[in-house]
């Protein structure tokens, strides 16, 4: 309903973010080297957020042609976030009934921040995908605790958490916990 009528339940914050970030995405599509410029956020009024989300989106020309393409794609992409959350729940709690896990994971659809971010193409959804990916591999690592050799779970755990932190910088706070878990 909110997507069809373009209702911004964040009191205008998410829709303003879209227009603020859209110019940055288009500029990165034309020239990726602007990331290396000193103070490019001050000189060109680009956002100060870490640019991974913007870089990923800017590489798909179909999404850059029209803002509506981007919003439609991102909304459909966002619908899969609870699916990833379900896989994390299923991996961690295999003994819980299927219907309960589906119910818990579908509660994400009702969160106001999720709704605003998915409708307006916010980078928070991208970082949540990366964060859930790292949690999935953390769960795998803890399940295979008997196997002490270095495995791909550690690599993917750190990789996805680094991507989450490079998309939204506040995910960096989870790195100490992850490194303690790995050790």
């Amino acid at each position: 309903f909110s997507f069809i009528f373009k209702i911004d339940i964040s009191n205008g914050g998410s829709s303003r973010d879209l227009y603020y970030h859209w110019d940055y995405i288009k500029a990165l599509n034309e020239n990726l080297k602007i990331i290396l410029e000193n103070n490019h956020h001050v000189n060109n009024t680009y956002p100060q957020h870490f640019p991974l989300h913007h870089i990923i989106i800017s590489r798909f020309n179909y999404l850059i042609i029209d803002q509506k393409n981007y919003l439609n794609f991102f909304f459909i992409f966002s619908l899969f976030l609870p699916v990833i959350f379900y896989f994390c729940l299923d991996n961690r709690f295999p003994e819980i009934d299927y219907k309960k896990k589906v119910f818990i994971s579908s509660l994400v659809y009702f969160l106001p921040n999720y709704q605003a971010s998915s409708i307006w193409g916010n980078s928070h959804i991208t970082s949540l995908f990366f964060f859930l990916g790292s949690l999935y591999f953390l769960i795998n690592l803890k399940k295979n605790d008997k196997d002490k050799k270095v495995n791909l779970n550690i690599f993917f755990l750190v990789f996805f958490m680094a991507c989450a932190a490079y998309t939204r910088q506040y995910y960096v706070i989870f790195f100490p916990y992850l490194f303690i878990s790995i050790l």
Side-chain angles (χ1 to χ4, degrees), residues 130-148:
F130 289 130
F131 181 69
L132 287 175
S134 69
L135 286 182
Y136 183 82
F137 288 106
L138 177 64
I139 294 165
N140 278 347
L141 183 66
K142 289 190 179 236
K143 284 172 78 172
N144 300 329
D145 196 28
K146 297 169 224 121
D147 187 17
K148 295 293 183 188

Side-chain angles (χ1 to χ4, degrees), residues 88-135:
C88 288
L89 286 175
D90 190 44
N91 194 13
R92 175 64 177 91
F93 304 107
E95 69 277 359
I96 294 179
D97 183 40
Y98 166 79
K99 292 178 184 177
K100 289 180 183 177
K101 289 185 280 193
V102 168
F103 175 74
I104 291 170
S105 61
S106 61
L107 288 176
V108 172
Y109 291 127
F110 298 103
L111 298 173
N113 190 12
Y114 168 81
Q115 290 180 18
S117 297
S118 64
I119 292 169
W120 296 103
N122 197 312
S123 62
H124 184 66
I125 297 291
T126 307
S127 62
L128 278 174
F129 269 103
F130 289 130
F131 181 69
L132 287 175
S134 69
L135 286 182

Side-chain angles (χ1 to χ4, degrees), residues 48-50 164-173:
Q48 293 180 353
H49 294 281
F50 287 171
Y166 200 61
T167 304
R168 285 288 187 141
Q169 57 268 33
Y170 48 75
Y171 284 99
V172 78
I173 197 164

Side-chain angles (χ1 to χ4, degrees), residues 24-117:
Y24 189 42
I25 291 170
K26 289 182 78 164
L28 285 172
N29 181 266
E30 293 173 14
N31 185 8
L32 201 55
K33 292 181 182 178
I34 63 171
I35 295 173
L36 303 175
E37 293 176 4
N38 193 16
N39 291 329
H40 74 280
H41 61 278
V42 175
N43 297 338
N44 299 315
T45 65
Y46 294 141
Q48 293 180 353
H49 294 281
F50 287 171
L52 184 60
H53 168 79
H54 302 93
I55 292 170
I56 292 170
I57 298 299
S58 71
R59 299 297 90 202
F60 295 101
N61 289 329
Y62 172 74
L63 300 177
I64 302 304
I65 293 171
D66 186 21
Q67 196 177 62
K68 190 176 252 184
N69 290 351
Y70 168 65
L71 291 176
N72 290 337
F73 168 80
F74 203 81
F75 179 71
I76 292 169
F77 174 71
S78 300
L79 292 175
F80 291 102
L81 187 69
V83 174
I84 303 298
F85 184 49
Y86 169 80
F87 286 130
C88 288
L89 286 175
D90 190 44
N91 194 13
R92 175 64 177 91
F93 304 107
E95 69 277 359
I96 294 179
D97 183 40
Y98 166 79
K99 292 178 184 177
K100 289 180 183 177
K101 289 185 280 193
V102 168
F103 175 74
I104 291 170
S105 61
S106 61
L107 288 176
V108 172
Y109 291 127
F110 298 103
L111 298 173
N113 190 12
Y114 168 81
Q115 290 180 18
S117 297

Side-chain angles (χ1 to χ4, degrees), residues 145-165:
D145 196 28
K146 297 169 224 121
D147 187 17
K148 295 293 183 188
K149 66 179 181 178
V150 175
N151 58 26
L152 284 177
N153 287 324
I154 295 173
F155 171 76
F156 286 121
L157 164 68
V158 173
F159 174 76
F160 281 114
M161 185 53 71
C163 288

